[in-house]
Amino acid sequence: MRSIRWIIFAMLVARVSISAAMPPSTLKRAYLDRLRRVHVIDASNRASLIDGFPAINLVMAPDRHSVAWSVGYKDKEGEALSDEVRIYRQGRVHRLPCGPASSDFAFRDGGRRLVLRCAGLHFAGLQELYDTDTLQVVASFQEAEILLEQRPDWNIDAD
């Protein structure tokens, strides 16, 4: 009985080690259906619905390992507003909250980084640079404190 437990334990450890060492999966395509839900098609042509909330903006990373989109609502005038950005990577959807009313994002460094701008509708905001593997903030700045010409090269206005 004891040896069976050790075998099961060893199999679980091996599975975790293998999955941690696997490279991110490559995506062929990402699209929105008529209800604006997010779907992806992976390298093996398997289609998956990954988010049932209406998306506003859908972008695939240049390295084809990640897909990001805004989730939000429409105001009284019908303008699309977003208070959250979601990123799909390695089979999981991650949420990056952004308030109060507007968010903008772009991939940088071939898809290894995601820059996220959170701001009010008519005000300067905060820009944060995320590592897409860890989803940790690696740099940030307040737009009101830095002139456009002095902002880092990863800022969202660099395009």
Side-chain angles (χ1 to χ4, degrees):
M1 186 68 153
R2 184 178 243 169
S3 62
I4 292 173
R5 287 184 185 164
W6 279 106
I7 291 170
I8 292 172
F9 176 74
M11 290 172 58
L12 289 173
V13 169
R15 184 175 182 180
V16 168
S17 300
I18 290 170
S19 65
M22 289 177 61
S25 60
T26 302
L27 302 171
K28 277 189 165 181
R29 185 172 163 238
Y31 66 94
L32 299 174
D33 65 16
R34 62 181 179 81
L35 297 175
R36 304 197 54 79
R37 297 176 301 188
V38 179
H39 297 260
V40 295
I41 299 174
D42 63 17
S44 61
N45 285 327
R46 187 175 54 233
S48 302
L49 169 68
I50 58 171
D51 197 1
F53 286 88
I56 295 173
N57 184 14
L58 179 67
V59 178
M60 184 177 293
D63 63 6
R64 304 184 81 76
H65 295 304
S66 304
V67 175
W69 63 97
S70 298
V71 175
Y73 54 94
K74 293 193 180 210
D75 66 4
K76 295 176 196 172
E77 290 80 36
E79 183 177 351
L81 303 175
S82 173
D83 56 2
E84 182 177 85
V85 170
R86 295 185 184 175
I87 182 169
Y88 176 79
R89 185 166 178 91
Q90 296 179 345
R92 297 193 61 202
V93 175
H94 305 276
R95 297 173 178 206
L96 303 174
C98 185
S102 177
S103 64
D104 195 13
F105 64 92
F107 284 103
R108 296 285 187 258
D109 209 10
R112 294 191 309 262
R113 303 274 191 259
L114 178 79
V115 60
L116 175 63
R117 173 196 283 153
C118 300
L121 286 178
H122 306 290
F123 302 99
L126 170 70
Q127 289 193 35
E128 296 178 311
L129 183 66
Y130 288 85
D131 179 278
T132 56
D133 284 332
T134 64
L135 292 179
Q136 298 296 312
V137 176
V138 294
S140 67
F141 69 90
Q142 288 285 343
E143 293 175 332
E145 298 173 1
I146 300 178
L147 295 173
L148 192 59
E149 304 83 35
Q150 297 172 337
R151 292 181 181 175
D153 60 349
W154 54 262
N155 85 83
I156 202 132
D157 299 310
D159 289 339

